[in-house]
Amino acid sequence: MISNWGPAGVRAIRNTSAPMTYALIGLCCLIFVLGPASGFVPSYGTGDALLAAQRAYFHRWGVVPADLFASPAREALTPVTALFVHGSWIHLLGNMLFLYVFGAMTEERLGRVEFTLFYLTCGYLALLGYTLANADSTQSLVGASGAISAVLGAFLYLFPRARVTSLLPFLFFLPLRFPAWVVLPFWAALQWLAAGQAAQGPGVAYLAHLVGFTLGFGYAWVRFGRTTRVKAAPATVPEGENQP
Protein backbone atom coordinates (compact mmCIF):
# COMPACT_ATOMS: atom_id res chain seq x y z
CA MET A 1 0.00 0.00 0.00
CA ILE A 2 1.23 3.48 -0.83
CA SER A 3 0.42 6.74 0.85
CA ASN A 4 1.33 10.37 0.27
CA TRP A 5 2.00 12.88 3.02
CA GLY A 6 0.70 16.39 2.66
CA PRO A 7 2.19 19.54 4.15
CA ALA A 8 0.24 19.07 7.37
CA GLY A 9 1.54 15.52 7.81
CA VAL A 10 -1.86 13.92 7.13
CA ARG A 11 -1.77 10.70 5.23
CA ALA A 12 -3.97 10.36 2.12
CA ILE A 13 -4.43 6.84 0.78
CA ARG A 14 -4.63 6.56 -3.00
CA ASN A 15 -7.30 4.15 -4.22
CA THR A 16 -6.36 3.30 -7.78
CA SER A 17 -7.83 1.41 -10.68
CA ALA A 18 -5.04 -0.25 -12.65
CA PRO A 19 -6.36 -2.99 -14.96
CA MET A 20 -3.22 -3.12 -17.11
CA THR A 21 -0.94 -3.53 -14.10
CA TYR A 22 -3.03 -6.44 -12.85
CA ALA A 23 -3.24 -7.90 -16.36
CA LEU A 24 0.55 -7.85 -16.70
CA ILE A 25 0.93 -9.53 -13.31
CA GLY A 26 -1.64 -12.18 -14.21
CA LEU A 27 -0.01 -12.88 -17.59
CA CYS A 28 3.46 -13.23 -16.08
CA CYS A 29 2.16 -15.61 -13.40
CA LEU A 30 0.23 -17.71 -15.94
CA ILE A 31 3.21 -18.04 -18.27
CA PHE A 32 5.45 -19.00 -15.37
CA VAL A 33 3.07 -21.66 -14.05
CA LEU A 34 2.78 -23.21 -17.52
CA GLY A 35 6.54 -23.17 -18.07
CA PRO A 36 9.25 -25.60 -16.92
CA ALA A 37 10.61 -23.37 -14.14
CA SER A 38 7.46 -23.72 -12.02
CA GLY A 39 7.70 -27.50 -11.70
CA PHE A 40 3.93 -27.82 -12.16
CA VAL A 41 3.97 -29.39 -15.65
CA PRO A 42 4.92 -33.10 -15.52
CA SER A 43 5.60 -33.30 -19.26
CA TYR A 44 8.86 -31.40 -18.80
CA GLY A 45 10.24 -34.31 -16.78
CA THR A 46 12.44 -34.23 -13.70
CA GLY A 47 16.12 -34.01 -12.85
CA ASP A 48 18.43 -33.50 -15.81
CA ALA A 49 15.53 -33.61 -18.26
CA LEU A 50 13.83 -30.73 -16.45
CA LEU A 51 17.03 -28.68 -16.39
CA ALA A 52 17.50 -29.26 -20.12
CA ALA A 53 13.90 -28.21 -20.76
CA GLN A 54 14.42 -25.05 -18.72
CA ARG A 55 17.56 -24.11 -20.62
CA ALA A 56 15.86 -24.67 -23.96
CA TYR A 57 12.81 -22.69 -22.84
CA PHE A 58 14.87 -19.73 -21.64
CA HIS A 59 16.95 -19.80 -24.82
CA ARG A 60 13.83 -19.82 -26.99
CA TRP A 61 11.91 -17.03 -25.28
CA GLY A 62 14.67 -15.05 -23.60
CA VAL A 63 17.21 -12.62 -25.03
CA VAL A 64 20.51 -14.13 -26.13
CA PRO A 65 22.74 -11.21 -27.16
CA ALA A 66 24.86 -13.22 -29.59
CA ASP A 67 21.76 -14.62 -31.31
CA LEU A 68 20.05 -11.22 -31.42
CA PHE A 69 22.95 -9.64 -33.31
CA ALA A 70 23.53 -12.70 -35.48
CA SER A 71 19.86 -12.92 -36.59
CA PRO A 72 18.21 -9.58 -35.77
CA ALA A 73 15.11 -10.18 -37.92
CA ARG A 74 14.35 -13.55 -36.33
CA GLU A 75 15.21 -12.55 -32.77
CA ALA A 76 13.78 -9.01 -32.79
CA LEU A 77 10.79 -9.89 -30.59
CA THR A 78 12.75 -11.72 -27.90
CA PRO A 79 13.24 -8.56 -25.76
CA VAL A 80 9.43 -8.45 -25.55
CA THR A 81 8.82 -12.15 -24.87
CA ALA A 82 11.61 -12.14 -22.27
CA LEU A 83 9.62 -9.61 -20.20
CA PHE A 84 7.01 -12.29 -19.46
CA VAL A 85 9.36 -15.17 -18.61
CA HIS A 86 10.97 -15.66 -15.19
CA GLY A 87 13.66 -18.02 -14.00
CA SER A 88 12.38 -19.04 -10.56
CA TRP A 89 9.61 -18.47 -8.02
CA ILE A 90 11.74 -15.89 -6.20
CA HIS A 91 12.46 -14.09 -9.46
CA LEU A 92 8.75 -14.00 -10.34
CA LEU A 93 7.41 -13.03 -6.91
CA GLY A 94 10.03 -10.34 -6.35
CA ASN A 95 9.23 -8.69 -9.67
CA MET A 96 5.46 -9.00 -9.35
CA LEU A 97 5.52 -7.57 -5.81
CA PHE A 98 7.14 -4.38 -7.01
CA LEU A 99 4.99 -4.14 -10.12
CA TYR A 100 1.91 -4.46 -7.89
CA VAL A 101 3.10 -1.85 -5.40
CA PHE A 102 4.40 0.76 -7.83
CA GLY A 103 2.53 0.00 -11.04
CA ALA A 104 -1.01 0.98 -10.00
CA MET A 105 -0.40 4.64 -9.21
CA THR A 106 1.96 5.02 -12.16
CA GLU A 107 -0.69 3.59 -14.47
CA GLU A 108 -3.31 5.89 -13.00
CA ARG A 109 -1.07 8.87 -13.72
CA LEU A 110 -0.07 7.83 -17.24
CA GLY A 111 -3.32 6.22 -18.35
CA ARG A 112 -3.87 2.62 -19.45
CA VAL A 113 -2.63 2.81 -23.04
CA GLU A 114 0.34 5.07 -22.33
CA PHE A 115 1.36 2.97 -19.32
CA THR A 116 1.30 -0.24 -21.36
CA LEU A 117 3.35 1.27 -24.18
CA PHE A 118 5.72 2.82 -21.62
CA TYR A 119 6.17 -0.53 -19.85
CA LEU A 120 6.85 -2.53 -23.02
CA THR A 121 9.04 0.09 -24.69
CA CYS A 122 11.22 0.77 -21.66
CA GLY A 123 11.50 -2.94 -20.96
CA TYR A 124 12.54 -3.60 -24.55
CA LEU A 125 15.13 -0.82 -24.51
CA ALA A 126 16.48 -1.92 -21.12
CA LEU A 127 17.15 -5.43 -22.43
CA LEU A 128 18.52 -4.02 -25.67
CA GLY A 129 20.92 -1.86 -23.67
CA TYR A 130 22.17 -4.99 -21.93
CA THR A 131 22.71 -6.80 -25.22
CA LEU A 132 24.67 -3.86 -26.65
CA ALA A 133 27.04 -4.04 -23.70
CA ASN A 134 27.31 -7.85 -23.88
CA ALA A 135 27.06 -8.52 -27.59
CA ASP A 136 29.09 -11.75 -27.45
CA SER A 137 27.19 -13.32 -24.56
CA THR A 138 25.41 -16.62 -25.20
CA GLN A 139 23.57 -16.62 -21.86
CA SER A 140 19.82 -16.16 -22.02
CA LEU A 141 18.24 -13.24 -20.18
CA VAL A 142 14.63 -13.22 -18.99
CA GLY A 143 12.44 -11.27 -16.60
CA ALA A 144 10.43 -8.07 -16.29
CA SER A 145 13.06 -6.31 -14.16
CA GLY A 146 14.00 -3.79 -16.83
CA ALA A 147 10.40 -2.72 -17.39
CA ILE A 148 9.64 -2.66 -13.65
CA SER A 149 12.76 -0.59 -13.04
CA ALA A 150 11.31 1.94 -15.50
CA VAL A 151 8.07 1.96 -13.49
CA LEU A 152 10.08 2.61 -10.32
CA GLY A 153 11.91 5.48 -11.97
CA ALA A 154 8.69 7.09 -13.17
CA PHE A 155 7.02 6.53 -9.80
CA LEU A 156 9.82 8.18 -7.86
CA TYR A 157 9.63 11.25 -10.09
CA LEU A 158 5.84 11.50 -10.05
CA PHE A 159 5.33 10.69 -6.35
CA PRO A 160 8.48 11.88 -4.57
CA ARG A 161 6.80 12.03 -1.13
CA ALA A 162 5.15 8.63 -1.28
CA ARG A 163 5.65 6.06 1.45
CA VAL A 164 5.22 2.35 0.95
CA THR A 165 3.57 0.12 3.56
CA SER A 166 5.36 -3.24 3.59
CA LEU A 167 4.66 -6.55 5.32
CA LEU A 168 7.91 -8.16 6.47
CA PRO A 169 7.79 -11.92 7.22
CA PHE A 170 10.75 -11.78 9.64
CA LEU A 171 8.84 -9.16 11.68
CA PHE A 172 5.69 -11.29 11.88
CA PHE A 173 4.12 -9.41 8.90
CA LEU A 174 3.98 -6.22 10.91
CA PRO A 175 2.91 -3.41 8.51
CA LEU A 176 5.62 -0.77 8.37
CA ARG A 177 5.99 2.30 6.17
CA PHE A 178 9.29 2.87 4.41
CA PRO A 179 10.49 5.61 2.08
CA ALA A 180 11.43 4.63 -1.46
CA TRP A 181 15.15 4.90 -0.73
CA VAL A 182 14.73 2.00 1.71
CA VAL A 183 12.45 -0.10 -0.49
CA LEU A 184 14.61 0.09 -3.61
CA PRO A 185 17.71 -1.54 -2.08
CA PHE A 186 15.41 -4.29 -0.79
CA TRP A 187 14.22 -4.84 -4.36
CA ALA A 188 17.83 -5.01 -5.55
CA ALA A 189 18.55 -7.63 -2.87
CA LEU A 190 15.64 -9.73 -4.13
CA GLN A 191 17.10 -9.61 -7.64
CA TRP A 192 20.49 -10.67 -6.32
CA LEU A 193 18.91 -13.58 -4.47
CA ALA A 194 16.99 -14.57 -7.59
CA ALA A 195 20.25 -14.67 -9.55
CA GLY A 196 21.70 -17.09 -7.03
CA GLN A 197 18.61 -19.31 -7.25
CA ALA A 198 18.82 -19.53 -11.05
CA ALA A 199 22.40 -20.67 -11.55
CA GLN A 200 21.29 -23.21 -14.17
CA GLY A 201 18.86 -20.83 -15.81
CA PRO A 202 18.96 -17.40 -17.37
CA GLY A 203 21.12 -14.47 -16.44
CA VAL A 204 20.05 -11.44 -14.43
CA ALA A 205 21.14 -8.15 -16.03
CA TYR A 206 21.72 -5.44 -13.47
CA LEU A 207 22.68 -3.10 -16.30
CA ALA A 208 19.15 -3.57 -17.69
CA HIS A 209 17.77 -2.48 -14.30
CA LEU A 210 19.84 0.70 -14.41
CA VAL A 211 18.88 1.45 -18.01
CA GLY A 212 15.19 0.85 -17.27
CA PHE A 213 15.21 3.04 -14.16
CA THR A 214 16.94 5.87 -16.01
CA LEU A 215 14.52 5.64 -18.93
CA GLY A 216 11.51 5.65 -16.62
CA PHE A 217 12.67 8.63 -14.60
CA GLY A 218 13.70 10.51 -17.73
CA TYR A 219 10.39 9.82 -19.45
CA ALA A 220 8.39 11.12 -16.48
CA TRP A 221 10.61 14.21 -16.29
CA VAL A 222 10.13 15.00 -19.99
CA ARG A 223 6.46 14.01 -20.10
CA PHE A 224 5.26 15.88 -17.02
CA GLY A 225 7.90 18.50 -16.29
CA ARG A 226 9.07 19.71 -12.92
CA THR A 227 5.84 21.48 -12.01
CA THR A 228 3.43 18.54 -12.24
CA ARG A 229 4.58 16.12 -9.56
CA VAL A 230 1.69 14.68 -7.59
CA LYS A 231 1.54 15.82 -3.98
CA ALA A 232 -1.10 14.92 -1.48
CA ALA A 233 -3.28 17.72 -0.19
CA PRO A 234 -4.08 17.93 3.52
CA ALA A 235 -7.17 15.96 4.43
CA THR A 236 -9.68 16.61 7.18
CA VAL A 237 -9.54 13.91 9.82
CA PRO A 238 -12.29 14.08 12.45
CA GLU A 239 -10.90 11.63 14.98
CA GLY A 240 -7.23 11.04 14.57
CA GLU A 241 -5.73 9.46 11.50
CA ASN A 242 -7.94 7.46 9.15
CA GLN A 243 -7.06 3.81 8.84
CA PRO A 244 -6.62 2.21 5.39
Side-chain angles (χ1 to χ4, degrees):
M1 182 177 296
I2 299 173
S3 60
N4 287 331
W5 289 81
V10 177
R11 184 177 52 168
I13 301 298
R14 296 294 300 271
N15 294 317
T16 61
S17 175
M20 296 312 303
T21 296
Y22 304 141
L24 289 169
I25 293 173
L27 184 58
C28 286
C29 291
L30 178 62
I31 290 174
F32 180 80
V33 168
L34 296 178
S38 69
F40 284 164
V41 183
S43 61
Y44 287 114
T46 59
D48 292 340
L50 179 59
L51 292 177
Q54 290 175 355
R55 286 192 290 267
Y57 183 82
F58 297 141
H59 191 276
R60 172 65 182 84
W61 299 109
V63 179
V64 181
D67 292 348
L68 180 61
F69 288 107
S71 304
R74 187 182 65 182
E75 302 290 329
L77 289 180
T78 55
V80 175
T81 59
L83 295 176
F84 299 93
V85 178
H86 290 82
S88 68
W89 281 103
I90 292 178
H91 191 197
L92 173 73
L93 295 177
N95 277 343
M96 294 305 101
L97 170 64
F98 278 82
L99 179 56
Y100 173 78
V101 171
F102 295 99
M105 286 175 63
T106 305
E107 178 183 343
E108 183 186 47
R109 185 74 171 125
L110 295 180
R112 298 175 185 177
V113 175
E114 184 177 355
F115 174 80
T116 304
L117 293 175
F118 163 81
Y119 180 91
L120 295 175
T121 301
C122 289
Y124 189 103
L125 293 176
L127 293 178
L128 186 60
Y130 172 85
T131 63
L132 290 173
N134 300 271
D136 297 329
S137 175
T138 58
Q139 187 177 33
S140 57
L141 175 68
V142 300
S145 302
I148 295 171
S149 296
V151 173
L152 293 177
F155 180 91
L156 288 178
Y157 180 83
L158 294 171
F159 307 100
R161 306 178 75 175
R163 298 293 184 268
V164 181
T165 300
S166 303
L167 299 177
L168 302 180
F170 57 85
L171 293 179
F172 305 100
F173 294 95
L174 179 67
L176 299 173
R177 283 191 303 274
F178 295 99
W181 62 268
V182 172
V183 176
L184 288 178
F186 176 71
W187 174 77
L190 283 178
Q191 303 309 301
W192 185 270
L193 182 59
Q197 292 291 321
Q200 299 296 326
V204 175
Y206 298 100
L207 177 60
H209 301 172
L210 179 60
V211 172
F213 184 87
T214 303
L215 287 172
F217 189 91
Y219 178 83
W221 181 75
V222 172
R223 170 70 171 80
F224 294 98
R226 294 184 58 84
T227 60
T228 57
R229 295 188 184 186
V230 175
K231 294 182 180 180
T236 302
V237 184
E239 297 292 340
E241 185 182 61
N242 287 333
Q243 296 299 318

